[in-house]
Amino acid sequence: MWLTLAAMRNGIAILMASLAIVLLGATSLGRMPIDLFPNLNYPSLQVGTIYKGASAQDIERSVTYPIEKAVSAVANVRYVESRSRQGFSAVTVQFAWGADIDAGLTEVVQRIQAIMSSLPTGIQQPFIVKFDLSNIPVCILTVSGALDERALYDLAYNTIEPQIERLAGVASANVDGGKIRQITVNLDRDRLYSKGLSVNEVTRAVNDANFLLPSGDVKLGSFDYNVFTNNQFSVVAPMEDIVVRRTGTTPIRLRDVGRVEDSAETQVSIVRVNGERAVYLRVNKQPGANTVEVVDAVKATVPKLLGVPPGVNVSMSLDQSTYIRQSIENLWHEAAIGSLLAFLVILVFLRSFVSTVIIGIAIPLSLMLTLVAMYFLGQTSTSSPWAALPSPWAASWTIPSSSSRTSIATSPSPARRGGRPCWTPPAKSPCPSSSPPSRPSWSSCPPSSSKASRGCSSSPSPSPSPSRSSPPSSSPAP
């Protein structure tokens, strides 16, 4: 009662406080980041190791098990889950909620470095990835047109990607699909045998003939010149004149044992837009960036891209901001209906218009105060319970636009450029009694066997998911 009396005796102070709450609430709402998912720091790490050519059984025995044993001794680990596939090992380390994930990452790195000498020779350096929702692309751009796949990839990688990555809030724009240019040296086995050469000798000769070496400087009078030994090839034809070995005074050149071709790497990802071959760019935002603002900036930049030849179409096939805008729109719609119904119910029970107006003003003030608290706590405007909507990733990670259909088909092959990620939809945890359900993640995907350790005895079966490294195909419904 005393609080009500104090408010009635200090009406001007209460009015000023209410206006301050409204002003701060409106400012917080405008500055609060808008995102599809809440700002969640999920305590999970994934250790990936690439061992090309090894079977799933060999990977499990010689790579996965030693890593499992090493990371299981890290402090605050709840359970360890592993998946062994052909040429790839993935070990997921789940920490307890509230654990320092950065300290856990440091300890995992130290323990893996300690067992590197016991791992098989020929494996690539294990990489460790923290779970981060910002790894989910906010939009996907497709590039299609009259150019062939190799030219489309070069255009997207060298021209479009740098312009997109310069935008505020954009972390990366990774290109996939198409064909990557590659200079291939095809050797004739019979010619090599007749010349007494090996493949290693040819490889060493090509590397020695294609290099850029700083050679110091030369002082001539009052001038100082930098000298560079640039012996890199800019065209393919001169490479056939590389001398592999000299027999007396007769040189054995590369064209004597094979041929050099300007070709492409083995294609492991195919993208089609309206039935035509294309490439696409996955645009990822920086942590804490506003998803809607990033997508709007990308949309505004696409028509202004420089260096795109006529006949090439750059369009957006996935727009994550659509679901966020719908979420915000539904939020305001439901809030308006709820406020109106609450006002009518209070009016019916109190039968006093003045008291109803007072309570009706208190409801939006409490909402504004909540927005202020969310802003200063670093929350996003979609991390509250009323804004939770079904995720579009639950069905497919490639969404067709209204005017085109995009499909992606891949073949099981080792990833290029450090490993091709693959979307894995949420699946049930192998330990239903003690473990939370698995979160969506990007991982490398050749065919595999999997097992779980420390904390459960069942073995999770990998669920089929659309992927860009190993699944047969993924085509969204129109």
Side-chain angles (χ1 to χ4, degrees):
M1 195 66 181
W2 65 269
L3 186 60
T4 304
L5 293 176
M8 295 177 65
R9 292 172 183 172
N10 301 276
I12 301 299
I14 296 300
L15 177 61
M16 293 298 102
S18 301
L19 293 178
I21 291 175
V22 172
L23 181 61
L24 289 175
T27 304
S28 301
L29 181 61
R31 296 182 178 181
M32 193 181 304
I34 303 176
D35 207 344
L36 183 63
F37 298 102
N39 187 14
L40 177 66
N41 187 16
Y42 188 67
S44 177
L45 297 176
Q46 187 173 56
V47 183
T49 309
I50 298 176
Y51 188 16
K52 294 183 179 180
S55 64
Q57 291 76 16
D58 295 335
I59 288 284
E60 181 179 6
R61 181 176 59 255
S62 59
V63 178
T64 303
Y65 179 72
I67 294 179
E68 274 186 342
K69 188 175 180 181
V71 300
S72 296
V74 176
N76 296 320
V77 172
R78 290 184 58 193
Y79 67 89
V80 176
E81 178 182 319
S82 66
R83 292 188 177 184
S84 300
R85 307 168 184 258
Q86 181 177 353
F88 184 76
S89 167
V91 178
T92 302
V93 185
Q94 177 67 43
F95 290 87
W97 285 101
D100 189 349
I101 191 66
D102 294 326
L105 174 62
T106 302
E107 190 173 354
V108 168
V109 171
Q110 293 174 351
R111 292 187 178 275
I112 291 179
Q113 291 295 330
I115 65 168
M116 282 298 297
S117 58
S118 63
L119 297 180
T121 58
I123 67 167
Q124 298 184 13
Q125 179 71 24
F127 58 90
I128 304 175
V129 180
K130 291 174 61 176
F131 178 84
D132 191 355
L133 287 174
S134 62
N135 290 333
I136 301 176
V138 296
C139 63
I140 291 180
L141 299 177
T142 56
V143 184
S144 59
L147 302 178
D148 58 18
E149 291 183 276
R150 197 175 77 169
L152 285 175
Y153 185 92
D154 290 342
L155 174 66
Y157 184 78
N158 298 315
T159 303
I160 299 178
E161 178 182 340
Q163 298 181 59
I164 298 297
E165 289 182 341
R166 281 197 293 264
L167 299 177
V170 175
S172 63
N174 300 319
V175 184
D176 209 342
K179 297 180 179 179
I180 301 179
R181 185 186 182 190
Q182 174 180 276
I183 307 301
T184 306
V185 179
N186 296 311
L187 300 176
D188 189 313
R189 182 181 58 184
D190 296 333
R191 293 184 183 179
L192 284 175
Y193 182 76
S194 63
K195 302 290 184 181
L197 297 175
S198 65
V199 177
N200 291 334
E201 290 183 79
V202 178
T203 303
R204 185 166 53 251
V206 172
N207 291 333
D208 293 343
N210 183 43
F211 64 91
L212 176 63
L213 181 66
S215 303
D217 57 344
V218 174
K219 291 182 172 61
L220 298 176
S222 58
F223 295 97
D224 190 357
Y225 298 96
N226 292 325
V227 180
F228 297 93
T229 304
N230 188 355
N231 201 35
Q232 292 181 322
F233 293 99
S234 57
V235 292
V236 176
M239 294 185 64
E240 296 186 346
D241 295 328
I242 295 176
V243 177
V244 181
R245 182 196 291 176
R246 290 184 179 274
T247 304
T249 57
T250 304
I252 302 176
R253 303 185 183 275
L254 188 58
R255 63 169 176 265
D256 298 329
V257 294
R259 65 183 187 279
V260 183
E261 295 180 353
D262 189 352
S263 59
E265 292 184 6
T266 302
Q267 190 172 11
V268 296
S269 178
I270 298 175
V271 179
R272 293 185 178 90
V273 176
N274 293 330
E276 298 181 356
R277 295 289 183 96
V279 299
Y280 70 92
L281 296 91
R282 300 187 322 275
V283 181
N284 295 338
K285 71 178 185 67
Q286 297 175 353
N290 192 317
T291 300
V292 176
E293 292 180 357
V294 171
V295 174
D296 289 342
V298 173
K299 288 182 178 178
T301 304
V302 167
K304 304 176 184 178
L305 289 173
L306 303 176
V308 178
V312 175
N313 181 34
V314 182
S315 60
M316 186 172 292
S317 296
L318 170 67
D319 182 1
Q320 196 184 99
S321 67
T322 302
Y323 308 97
I324 299 175
R325 298 179 199 273
Q326 293 176 355
S327 172
I328 300 300
E329 182 180 351
N330 292 337
L331 168 64
W332 289 114
H333 181 264
E334 299 300 330
I337 295 178
S339 300
L340 179 60
L341 291 177
F343 184 86
L344 294 177
V345 170
I346 294 173
L347 181 62
V348 169
F349 279 91
L350 295 182
R351 297 181 180 180
S352 172
F353 184 77
V354 176
S355 301
T356 305
V357 170
I358 294 175
I359 298 175
I361 294 175
I363 293 176
L365 282 179
S366 62
L367 176 61
M368 289 293 181
L369 189 60
T370 302
L371 293 176
V372 173
M374 290 176 60
Y375 173 73
F376 285 104
L377 290 175
Q379 301 297 316
T380 63
S381 59
T382 56
S383 61
S384 50
W386 60 72
L389 289 180
S391 171
W393 301 98
S396 173
W397 63 277
T398 303
I399 310 297
S401 62
S402 57
S403 59
S404 66
R405 292 188 60 187
T406 305
S407 62
I408 299 176
T410 59
S411 59
S413 175
R416 68 167 180 260
R417 296 178 63 185
R420 292 182 178 276
C422 144
W423 176 255
T424 304
K428 293 184 178 180
S429 170
C431 312
S433 60
S434 60
S435 305
S438 62
R439 294 298 196 270
S441 62
W442 293 90
S443 60
S444 205
C445 297
S448 73
S449 67
S450 63
K451 73 172 185 176
S453 67
R454 188 174 179 177
C456 62
S457 57
S458 59
S459 298
S461 57
S463 57
S465 61
S467 140
R468 292 177 298 100
S469 338
S470 67
S473 65
S474 169
S475 300

